[in-house]
């Protein structure tokens, strides 16, 4: 004979669906919330005037000339987005083995920074000091006889950080993963009167297959010689990521970042438990491209998946998210 119990006997007096019945009760008990304040817009720059060119591997994402990028950033600020992170597709003619053009005050990122800050101080500017958009080999550091040399790369990265601070960057975000670069940048910023410029460390940048569309966007996809396994973190390792983050904080990092995002939610949660500092994730180009491609084929609802993934970062412990979806998400949030 099968024993039968009523639902009340099984659950006691607790019925978890009670708080899910109405929209207002679901809002009332919601544990995590996403707002435009959580979003950093990642934007691509290119040479020219009035340029707005779509990136084939990232449908809906564009490269902008500096003038258009400033206009679009002002619109993003109007949606409540607090910061923008620009990345440059520089002409091949300025690329060198050592990536020295990153220090040029007239490169795309520095021109964008100056022009944006002339227009407004109400949106933050986060700039990457890695060398990959500026090298002929597509690496984030200086390549010598097949090896990415650490200390020489750090010297160039420090020069880049100072150039960006002088142009108006509010936060330097070095993504190169060279040892000691955070401390060297902090020392140089402080020594040159930029004590208030913060550092957002790409503390856990993993050697990932999710960066492909980004490399197309900045024009390094066909340049890369070898891989980046000798300086990015092995995606099998989590304890190593914790050690990297701890070292960067000791060197003077003000905030931490995990990159990529969705495949590394466990790392985000571990960081949040281990460190009481502002924490960010970068929802990278491959994550964006997967969602965009699936939506284009009718397999997913683009907007719903966009919002669900962004909220997942908040649930894991992020204070903010760098994302190509920032403007679209802010518009959805504004519409309620």
């Amino acid at each position: 004979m099968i024993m039968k119990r009523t639902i009340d006997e099984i659950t006691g007096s607790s019925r978890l669906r009670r708080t899910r019945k109405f929209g207002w009760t679901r809002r009332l008990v919601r544990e995590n919330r996403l707002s435009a304040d959580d979003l950093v817009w990642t934007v691509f720059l290119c040479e020219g005037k009035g340029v707005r060119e779509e990136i084939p591997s990232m449908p809906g994402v564009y490269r902008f000339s500096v003038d258009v990028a400033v206009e679009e950033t002002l619109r993003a600020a109007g949606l409540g987005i607090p910061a923008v992170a620009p990345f440059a597709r520089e002409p091949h003619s300025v690329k060198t083995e050592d990536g020295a053009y990153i220090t040029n005050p007239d490169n795309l990122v520095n021109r964008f920074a100056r022009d944006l800050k002339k227009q407004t101080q109400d949106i933050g500017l986060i700039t990457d000091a890695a060398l990959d958009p500026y090298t002929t080999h597509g690496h984030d550091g200086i390549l010598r006889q097949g090896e990415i040399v650490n200390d020489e790369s750090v010297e160039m990265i420090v020069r880049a950080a100072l150039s960006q601070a002088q142009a108006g960057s509010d936060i330097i975000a070095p993504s190169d993963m060279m040892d000691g670069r955070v401390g060297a940048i902090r020392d140089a910023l402080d020594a040159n009167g930029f004590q208030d410029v913060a550092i957002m460390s790409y503390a856990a940048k993993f050697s990932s297959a999710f960066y492909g569309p980004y490399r197309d966007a900045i024009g390094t996809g066909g340049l890369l010689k070898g891989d980046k396994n000798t300086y990015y973190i092995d995606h099998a390792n989590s304890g190593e990521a914790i050690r990297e983050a701890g070292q960067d904080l000791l060197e003077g990092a003000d905030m931490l970042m995990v990159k990529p995002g969705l495949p590394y939610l466990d790392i985000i949660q571990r960081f949040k438990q281990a460190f009481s500092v502002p924490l960010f994730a970068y929802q990278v180009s491959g994550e964006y491209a997967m969602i965009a491609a699936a939506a284009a084929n009718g397999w997913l609802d683009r907007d719903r998946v966009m919002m669900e993934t962004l909220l997942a970062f908040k649930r894991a412990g992020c204070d903010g998210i760098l994302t190509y979806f920032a403007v679209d998400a802010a518009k959805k949030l504004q519409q309620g």
Side-chain angles (χ1 to χ4, degrees), residues 70 73-74 77 113-124:
V70 169
T73 301
L74 294 175
R114 287 196 303 273
D115 289 357
L116 178 64
K117 291 302 182 177
K118 287 176 185 175
Q119 294 292 324
T120 182
Q121 298 292 322
D122 290 337
I123 188 165

Side-chain angles (χ1 to χ4, degrees), residues 241-257:
I242 296 291
R243 294 196 298 274
E244 282 277 3
Q247 180 169 312
D248 288 354
L249 290 172
L250 287 174
E251 292 179 18
D254 300 285
M255 49 197 84
L256 300 174
M257 186 199 298

Side-chain angles (χ1 to χ4, degrees), residues 16-335:
L16 298 179
R17 288 185 56 191
R18 290 188 185 117
T19 57
R20 304 172 195 158
K21 184 173 182 180
F22 303 107
W24 66 265
T25 54
R26 293 193 295 272
R27 295 197 308 274
L28 187 66
V29 301
R30 187 160 291 151
E31 297 173 26
N32 295 281
R33 297 181 186 276
L34 180 72
S35 80
D37 293 336
D38 301 314
L39 306 174
V40 176
W41 188 32
T42 43
V43 61
F44 293 110
L45 307 174
C46 64
E47 286 289 357
K49 292 286 186 182
V51 177
R52 182 192 303 266
E53 55 186 24
E54 190 171 26
I55 299 164
S57 57
M58 300 178 70
V61 175
Y62 295 81
R63 281 184 289 262
F64 301 123
S65 54
V66 168
D67 57 323
V68 177
V70 169
E71 293 173 1
E72 293 295 330
T73 301
L74 294 175
R75 292 191 184 97
L79 292 168
I81 293 172
V84 62
F87 299 90
R89 183 189 180 102
E90 293 284 4
H92 191 76
S93 59
V94 306
K95 298 177 187 288
T96 57
E97 286 290 305
D98 63 2
Y101 193 67
I102 194 173
T103 69
N104 192 307
D106 290 323
N107 67 35
L108 285 167
V109 168
N110 286 339
R111 280 157 43 201
F112 171 74
R114 287 196 303 273
D115 289 357
L116 178 64
K117 291 302 182 177
K118 287 176 185 175
Q119 294 292 324
T120 182
Q121 298 292 322
D122 290 337
I123 188 165
L125 182 60
I126 303 171
T127 55
D128 184 1
L131 305 184
D132 52 318
Y134 307 92
T135 58
T136 51
H137 44 73
H139 279 286
D140 300 41
I142 295 173
L143 185 66
R144 300 284 188 225
Q145 299 180 334
E147 179 184 354
I148 301 300
V149 291
N150 191 90
D151 296 2
E152 190 178 348
S153 297
V154 170
E155 291 177 8
M156 186 66 74
I157 289 161
V158 168
R159 290 174 56 195
L162 285 174
S163 177
Q164 292 170 356
Q166 290 162 356
S169 179
D170 301 294
I171 300 174
I172 305 297
S175 72
D176 52 278
M177 294 299 291
M178 298 296 120
D179 288 336
R181 91 275 197 209
V182 171
I185 290 170
R186 185 71 272 159
D187 289 348
L189 290 173
D190 291 351
N192 286 272
F194 295 108
Q195 294 91 343
D196 292 335
V197 173
I199 297 176
M200 177 190 290
S201 171
Y202 285 66
K205 187 175 184 181
F206 287 88
S207 186
S208 172
F210 282 87
Y211 303 137
Y214 168 86
R215 291 171 184 164
D216 291 342
I218 65 168
T220 64
L223 299 178
L224 188 63
K225 297 178 181 178
D227 55 44
K228 303 190 178 188
N229 292 337
T230 64
Y231 51 103
Y232 287 5
I233 300 175
D234 188 329
H235 59 255
N237 296 351
S238 57
E240 184 181 359
I242 296 291
R243 294 196 298 274
E244 282 277 3
Q247 180 169 312
D248 288 354
L249 290 172
L250 287 174
E251 292 179 18
D254 300 285
M255 49 197 84
L256 300 174
M257 186 199 298
V258 175
K259 179 180 181 180
L262 286 177
Y264 299 91
L265 293 177
D266 61 315
I267 307 297
I268 293 167
Q269 189 170 60
R270 286 195 65 181
F271 272 27
K272 199 62 178 180
Q273 292 169 347
F275 308 111
S276 297
V277 297
L279 177 61
F280 294 79
Y282 193 141
Q283 187 179 40
V284 299
S285 59
E287 298 172 65
Y288 175 92
M290 288 193 304
I291 294 170
N297 281 282
W299 300 334
L300 292 175
D301 183 315
R302 180 185 184 275
D303 287 352
R304 290 183 64 191
V305 172
M306 170 182 73
M307 302 304 281
E308 185 176 340
T309 57
L310 293 173
L311 190 59
F313 293 119
K314 293 290 292 181
R315 192 178 65 244
C318 280
D319 299 289
I321 308 117
L322 284 76
T323 177
Y324 304 99
F325 286 121
V327 169
D328 288 346
K331 288 177 180 177
K332 292 291 290 184
L333 290 164
Q334 193 176 69
Q335 294 164 5

